Amino acid sequence: MGQPMPQLSPGMHVSVTTPAGCVRQYSVVNAPQERDAIVIGVKLEPQSRGGSRSMHEQVQEGTELLITVPRNGFPLKRTGRRPVLVAGGIGITPILAMAQALHANGDDFEMHYFCRGAEHVPFGDRLRSLGEKVFIHAGLDPAETRCKLDEVIGAKAPDATDVYTCGPGPMINTVADVATQMGIPEENVRFELFKNDDVPTGGDAFEVELSVSGKTFTVPSDKSLLKACWENGVQIEASCEQGVCGTCMTGVVSGDLEHHDTYLSKQERASGKLIMPCVSRCKSGKLVLDL
Ligand code: FES
């Protein structure tokens, strides 16, 4: 309360502690000129375990919520290439923030939004304010979605295009597949997943050494690296504990990594220098962390 608004950039998210006590990540939807409040969009999930249901049923005007400072795990990069933004469902939130920033800057771009039906389009006023740069594709099945993406992405010059996408996993996979087939380099296709379906319940035990303190301990087969760190007095900040938000990212000195997060890019994974200890593990028996 009373703190100045932090600097916002498209692709940011905040971790929100819902009234039910769950921590959930929500993208920041703000346009560049909006500095009076942080805007998020929360879709009520029918299977909600206390995240979206709690936000919908227990939050009213005046409710105080604990949120983290905004972090950006999905930044919009100025590359000189033309961005094509593709969103599905509630994945509209970070993509809309990008579209508003590009629009405010007078940049050339286009945004495609895939949704179940015209009545399922959130943030209608904001989308309308972006004019002819926004295309809404309602009620397409997966095959029709793929055709539309072939048409949209196939019409672009591969070397002059960046693709940003957020939405359900299958849609993101289709976007990435189409973009790659159309010759857009993988590193120019960026995406953000809201859910991670690859959170392991365990794995082989391994040893950890902290290169700065020299401390060593074992991560047992039934425990995450993050929890083992905490139990050994190593303070690592965490939020989602699902490998999605990037909060727990930790530097690696050596070790053969087994990544299970959705946060790191292919290049970051290939570097072997970063790990998300909330979900990822080590395959080589010994992991040396830069801590
Ligand atoms: Fe979110 Fe690990 S706590 S990625």
Side-chain angles (χ1 to χ4, degrees):
M1 290 267 281
Q3 300 290 317
M5 177 77 106
Q7 199 58 44
L8 299 177
S9 58
M12 281 186 152
H13 68 269
V14 287
S15 293
V16 177
T17 304
T18 72
C22 316
V23 178
R24 294 287 183 269
Q25 285 70 43
Y26 297 111
S27 293
V28 173
V29 183
N30 292 50
Q33 72 278 9
E34 282 181 286
R35 304 278 306 151
D36 54 340
I38 288 180
V39 180
I40 60 173
V42 182
K43 179 187 172 198
L44 177 59
E45 299 287 355
Q47 310 293 336
S48 173
R49 290 171 289 124
S52 66
R53 184 165 302 282
S54 170
M55 291 293 280
H56 274 260
E57 294 179 356
Q58 294 174 271
V59 176
Q60 304 151 10
E61 192 173 341
T63 304
E64 287 190 13
L65 291 171
L66 183 66
I67 67 169
T68 59
V69 290
R71 293 192 178 86
N72 204 332
F74 187 38
L76 176 65
K77 298 190 176 158
R78 308 281 172 177
T79 61
R81 293 181 290 269
R82 182 172 180 269
V84 174
L85 313 176
V86 182
I90 195 60
I92 191 173
T93 49
I95 294 294
L96 179 55
M98 290 179 179
Q100 293 173 138
L102 290 162
H103 183 69
N105 205 38
D107 290 332
D108 189 20
F109 74 98
E110 63 188 59
M111 172 179 168
H112 294 267
Y113 181 50
F114 292 82
C115 58
R116 277 191 288 149
E119 69 283 14
H120 291 283
V121 179
F123 300 110
D125 289 349
R126 287 172 188 260
L127 289 172
R128 277 187 287 281
S129 75
L130 300 173
E132 292 174 353
K133 293 172 180 168
V134 174
F135 303 85
I136 294 179
H137 311 288
L140 303 188
D141 66 21
E144 291 167 331
T145 300
R146 171 140 200 147
C147 273
K148 181 53 73 179
L149 288 167
D150 279 339
E151 182 190 314
V152 165
I153 297 175
K156 311 291 179 289
D159 291 338
T161 303
D162 283 331
V163 176
Y164 291 85
T165 183
C166 185
M171 193 203 80
I172 290 181
N173 291 340
T174 305
V175 172
D177 195 41
V178 168
T180 310
Q181 281 193 7
M182 298 297 174
I184 296 178
E186 239 175 57
E187 61 273 20
N188 298 346
V189 181
R190 305 192 182 90
F191 59 87
E192 182 169 73
L193 284 166
F194 285 144
K195 268 197 224 148
N196 184 0
D197 297 323
D198 180 32
V199 178
T201 50
D204 290 340
F206 55 96
E207 294 300 310
V208 172
E209 182 183 320
L210 308 185
S211 68
V212 178
S213 67
K215 188 170 187 148
T216 58
F217 55 89
T218 302
V219 180
S221 59
D222 62 346
K223 203 156 274 175
S224 70
L225 170 58
L226 180 69
K227 293 230 161 90
C229 284
W230 285 347
E231 283 178 8
N232 285 278
V234 183
Q235 297 303 321
I236 295 177
E237 202 188 333
S239 178
C240 70
E241 294 187 48
Q242 287 199 26
V244 172
C245 72
T247 308
C248 68
M249 186 158 66
T250 302
V252 171
V253 176
S254 65
D256 192 4
L257 306 179
E258 183 188 300
H259 294 287
H260 292 280
D261 64 279
T262 64
Y263 186 84
L264 294 176
S265 66
K266 280 200 171 160
Q267 291 96 318
E268 286 168 329
R269 285 181 178 216
S271 78
K273 294 295 170 208
L274 294 169
I275 191 167
M276 298 296 164
C278 61
V279 290
S280 298
R281 306 182 67 84
C282 175
K283 294 185 279 194
S284 54
K286 179 152 184 194
L287 173 67
V288 182
L289 293 176
D290 188 13
L291 289 172

